[in-house]
């Protein structure tokens, strides 16, 4: 047990040797590990292959083979986090976005701000735990302890200060039903005598909660593997002759050749069928553009189409019996474990439509955040814009394609699921551009990410590159985060006025 414990302690070094962006450090670490193994100490090896369970390792960016831009990002990430984590290694498909994401996360967690460092990591734990995201919980447990957090708080939310416990209600509503947040919920947090939050602290907390709810969506949506030094990320069992052992199989990892057998890691399907899917989608985009040019629907018709799409989104649901990624129990980090996602118009409940024309990020939310937590509004605004506008003008094997219509349909569909309406958008386009399997994936990743499966990931856009599917996840992450923020910031604005 002692030797295994030492081996586990060296897991970080193993990760360092393989993933450090600096070649000399990789070489030195590898030499140290070799000497340790000669002493008979077992070194853990990663369970599975690569940073994602959904993307074959050979199709991800390999450390040591990255270009100059990616190398700079890797170096910055390593210096900031002390590691190159699996989220970074998947997000780096899109370096422009990753740079903005890392800058924002660094500011939220480590730069001067209203909340102390250990509170920030604990709020990250609370937010990730709402979606049973043990990947993020594990990372922030380590970071929480590293900045001097009290280990007793990790025994359960009831052991944390009352001030953090009071945040539990807002956490669960933001994660699962943000449309129910009112100015009374805000007042309760700001007026609780000795455990009250200041407005600046509350803004910091809200941004952290929404950041980690949406990052949990990315983690599950891209099938991010556990880090080697975290629970479920390693094994001491040696690989078998065929390069995998029974423990890999039971965790959903298969032989390298098997994983790479089908194109783009997808469900086996004839190339002709997949190409037809892409061609059909491009043809629909062309037809919709022509219809736009010819005539514009009336405001009444646009409102009707929004309500129809909002209703239909309630009937898009994932299969309950599908097996999703196993996670350890993290429920001690939040209260009311039975509280989860419910569609906003179920059982005759009527939630008024949130009209962006009345309260938008650009005109209202941005300035409120920037006033109470300087620079964060700017960082978030940049990140939203990069995700929304990011394009390489490609679709699968086609180049020089304008994808703005498709990106807008994805973004607006997510906001529609949250009851948010853009008066100038024709929601009839959503049904034309997003097929059912894609809608199931979107709704699962955004609303109940812990239920996302590889089958869902494989079943949409089967001929598209993995980088394009990661791009979809970036849209999902940012649209979700902005939707949560809009409801919370509107409630804060109403409280202030």
């Amino acid at each position: 047990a002692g030797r295994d414990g030492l081996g586990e302690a060296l897991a970080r070094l193993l990760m360092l040797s393989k993933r450090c962006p600096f070649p000399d450090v990789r070489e030195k670490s590898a030499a140290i590990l070799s000497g340790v193994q000669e002493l008979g100490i077992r070194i853990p090896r990663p369970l599975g292959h690569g940073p994602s369970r959904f993307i074959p390792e050979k199709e991800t960016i390999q450390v040591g083979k990255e270009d100059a831009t990616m190398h700079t990002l890797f170096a910055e990430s390593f210096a900031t986090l002390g590691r190159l984590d699996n989220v970074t290694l998947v997000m780096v498909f899109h370096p422009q976005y990753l740079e903005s994401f890392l800058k924002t996360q660094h500011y939220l967690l480590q730069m001067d701000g209203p909340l102390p460092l250990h509170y920030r990591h604990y709020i990250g734990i609370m937010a990730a735990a709402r979606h049973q995201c043990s990947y993020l919980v594990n990372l922030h447990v380590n970071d929480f302890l590293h900045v001097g957090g009290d280990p007793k708080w990790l025994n359960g939310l009831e052991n944390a200060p009352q001030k953090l416990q009071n945040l539990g209600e807002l956490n669960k509503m933001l994660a699962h039903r943000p449309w129910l947040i009112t100015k009374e919920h805000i007042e309760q947090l700001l007026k609780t005598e000795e455990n009250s939050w200041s407005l600046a602290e509350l803004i910091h907390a809200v941004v952290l909660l929404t950041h980690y709810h949406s990052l949990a969506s990315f983690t599950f949506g891209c099938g991010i593997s556990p880090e080697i030094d975290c629970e479920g990320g390693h094994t001491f069992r040696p690989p078998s002759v065929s390069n995998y052992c029974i423990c890999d199989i039971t965790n959903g990892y298969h032989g390298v050749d098997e994983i790479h057998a089908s194109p783009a890691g997808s469900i086996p399907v004839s190339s002709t069928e997949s190409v037809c899917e892409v061609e059909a989608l491009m043809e629909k985009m062309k037809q919709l553009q022509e219809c736009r040019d010819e005539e514009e629907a009336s405001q009444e018709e646009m409102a009707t189409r929004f309500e129809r799409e909002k209703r239909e989104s309630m009937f898009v649901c994932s299969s309950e019996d599908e097996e999703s990624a196993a996670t350890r129990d993290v429920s001690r980090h939040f209260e009311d474990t039975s509280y989860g996602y419910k569609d906003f118009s179920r059982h005759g409940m009527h939630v008024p439509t949130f009209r962006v024309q009345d309260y938008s990020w650009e005109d209202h939310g941005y300035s409120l955040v920037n006033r109470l937590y300087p620079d964060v509004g700017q960082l978030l605004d940049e990140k939203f814009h990069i995700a929304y506008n990011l394009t390489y003008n490609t679709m699968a094997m086609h180049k020089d394609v304008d994808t703005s219509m498709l990106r807008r349909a994805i973004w607006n569909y997510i906001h529609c699921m949250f009851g948010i309406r853009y008066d100038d958008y024709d929601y009839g386009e959503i049904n034309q551009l997003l097929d059912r399997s894609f809608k199931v994936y979107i709704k699962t990743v955004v609303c109940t990410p812990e239920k996302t499966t590889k089958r869902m990931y494989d079943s949409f856009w089967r001929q598209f590159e993995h980088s394009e599917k990661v791009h979809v996840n970036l849209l999902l992450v940012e649209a979700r985060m902005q939707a949560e923020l809009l409801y919370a910031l509107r409630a804060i604005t109403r409280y202030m006025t």
Side-chain angles (χ1 to χ4, degrees):
R3 284 182 170 238
D4 279 357
L6 181 55
E8 289 209 48
L10 287 164
R12 280 183 184 273
L13 192 54
L14 176 64
M15 178 184 63
L16 193 71
S17 70
K18 289 187 174 181
R19 290 193 176 172
C20 179
F22 309 110
D24 55 333
V25 176
R26 286 203 299 269
E27 289 166 15
K28 286 176 184 173
S29 300
I32 294 169
L33 282 168
S34 178
V36 167
Q37 284 174 303
E38 285 175 14
L39 295 173
I41 296 171
R42 296 190 301 159
I43 301 296
R45 66 181 184 85
L47 262 177
H49 309 281
S52 164
R53 295 182 299 113
F54 297 170
I55 306 170
E57 185 174 18
K58 74 174 184 181
E59 296 186 37
T60 59
I61 308 298
Q62 304 296 308
V63 178
K65 297 179 181 177
E66 70 275 15
D67 63 26
T69 303
M70 291 176 181
H71 179 78
T72 302
L73 284 172
F74 281 168
E76 289 174 358
S77 179
F78 192 86
T80 303
L81 304 173
R83 65 165 76 226
L84 270 184
D85 62 22
N86 289 332
V87 166
T88 299
L89 289 172
V90 172
M91 269 189 193
V92 80
F93 274 123
H94 304 285
Q96 186 189 4
Y97 175 85
L98 176 61
E99 182 178 12
S100 177
F101 172 85
L102 290 173
K103 194 164 52 172
T104 304
Q105 185 166 263
H106 175 65
Y107 196 94
L108 290 174
L109 291 176
Q110 293 171 282
M111 300 297 283
D112 287 344
L115 294 175
L117 297 184
H118 63 302
Y119 265 50
R120 303 180 198 193
H121 290 293
Y122 197 80
I123 289 168
I125 292 168
M126 289 172 64
R130 279 266 35 138
H131 284 307
Q132 302 161 47
C133 187
S134 57
Y135 173 86
L136 292 174
V137 169
N138 282 332
L139 288 184
H140 284 283
V141 162
N142 290 336
D143 291 337
F144 172 76
L145 295 172
H146 181 70
V147 297
D150 186 345
K152 292 196 192 73
W153 297 11
L154 300 175
N155 293 331
L157 185 58
E158 68 278 5
N159 296 291
Q162 188 62 46
K163 183 171 178 173
L164 282 168
Q165 291 184 46
N166 292 347
L167 200 62
E169 184 78 5
L170 186 64
N171 180 26
K172 78 176 186 182
M173 294 175 77
L174 270 174
H176 306 299
R177 307 173 203 174
W179 46 86
L180 297 181
I181 296 170
T182 65
K183 68 177 185 180
E184 284 73 30
H185 294 110
I186 304 303
E187 185 174 22
Q188 211 168 0
L189 287 165
L190 297 173
K191 299 269 179 134
T192 325
E193 297 167 2
E194 73 272 14
N195 296 311
S196 65
W197 292 74
S198 71
L199 265 173
E201 287 174 330
L202 185 58
I203 289 288
H204 194 171
V206 163
V207 174
L208 281 168
L209 289 171
T210 58
H211 176 79
Y212 282 104
H213 294 156
S214 57
L215 190 53
S217 284
F218 184 86
T219 301
F220 286 115
C222 291
I224 301 295
S225 301
E227 300 295 333
I228 188 174
D229 56 326
C230 290
E231 184 179 338
H234 61 264
T235 179
F236 285 101
R237 295 185 63 170
S240 69
V241 178
S242 61
N243 203 35
Y244 63 96
C245 65
I246 194 68
C247 53
D248 290 328
I249 299 170
T250 56
N251 279 280
Y253 304 110
H254 307 285
V256 175
D257 293 337
E258 185 182 337
I259 290 179
H260 295 170
S262 48
S266 64
I267 292 172
V269 65
S270 75
S271 58
T272 309
E273 187 182 335
S274 288
V275 170
C276 286
E277 285 181 345
V278 180
E279 301 286 2
L281 182 53
M282 290 181 65
E283 182 58 32
K284 283 176 184 171
M285 288 165 61
K286 182 182 171 188
Q287 289 171 0
L288 285 170
Q289 186 58 54
E290 289 170 356
C291 289
R292 270 188 195 174
D293 295 340
E294 288 173 12
E295 60 177 317
E296 191 173 311
S298 66
Q299 281 299 311
E300 292 76 13
E301 179 60 24
M302 300 267 257
T304 301
R305 290 175 186 176
F306 169 78
E307 291 300 331
R308 184 186 304 133
E309 190 58 50
K310 191 169 74 165
R311 269 196 318 276
E312 286 182 8
S313 76
M314 291 193 298
F315 302 107
V316 174
C317 55
S318 58
S319 174
E320 295 292 335
D321 58 357
E322 288 202 56
E323 189 179 330
S324 52
T327 56
R328 73 184 178 102
D329 179 40
V330 293
S331 58
R332 64 181 177 277
H333 298 299
F334 63 92
E335 297 172 318
D336 197 358
T337 54
S338 64
Y339 191 95
Y341 173 78
K342 285 271 196 314
D343 289 307
F344 49 85
S345 299
R346 283 281 161 123
H347 308 304
M349 280 182 59
H350 178 68
V351 177
T353 293
F354 187 125
R355 295 177 72 252
V356 170
Q357 279 68 19
D358 298 334
Y359 195 95
S360 69
W361 166 256
E362 290 79 9
D363 296 334
H364 307 90
Y366 166 82
S367 55
L368 177 61
V369 172
N370 239 25
R371 187 163 82 248
L372 293 169
Y373 188 7
D375 297 328
V376 169
Q378 180 65 40
L379 288 166
L380 292 175
D381 192 58
E382 177 186 285
K383 191 159 61 76
F384 291 147
H385 275 94
I386 288 172
Y388 188 87
N389 295 312
L390 186 65
T391 182
Y392 306 95
N393 298 113
T394 60
M395 275 181 64
M397 69 295 293
H398 297 278
K399 300 187 186 312
D400 301 318
V401 182
D402 180 358
T403 62
S404 56
M405 181 183 288
L406 188 54
R407 284 180 277 120
R408 190 178 185 191
I410 294 169
W411 186 281
N412 286 3
Y413 178 60
I414 293 159
H415 280 197
C416 178
M417 291 192 301
F418 283 83
I420 297 171
R421 182 188 167 210
Y422 295 81
D423 284 353
D424 62 347
Y425 182 69
D426 180 356
Y427 286 85
E429 293 186 5
I430 289 174
N431 268 340
Q432 296 290 315
L433 298 174
L434 313 184
D435 64 26
R436 184 163 186 81
S437 63
F438 192 16
K439 283 184 171 182
V440 166
Y441 177 79
I442 291 173
K443 187 170 183 180
T444 305
V445 171
V446 171
C447 302
T448 53
E450 60 279 7
K451 294 181 179 177
T452 309
T453 65
K454 187 174 186 301
R455 187 183 306 159
M456 291 178 195
Y457 175 90
D458 288 341
S459 67
F460 82 92
W461 285 10
R462 290 172 292 180
Q463 196 63 21
F464 284 71
E465 300 290 332
H466 286 291
S467 61
E468 292 174 303
K469 293 195 172 192
V470 173
H471 187 178
V472 166
N473 274 282
L474 300 183
L475 281 168
L476 270 50
V477 162
E478 296 303 333
R480 175 188 177 166
M481 183 175 183
Q482 193 180 95
E484 285 188 32
L485 277 174
L486 283 172
Y487 278 108
L489 296 174
R490 185 180 67 170
I492 291 171
T493 300
R494 285 175 173 174
Y495 164 78
M496 291 169 68
T497 54

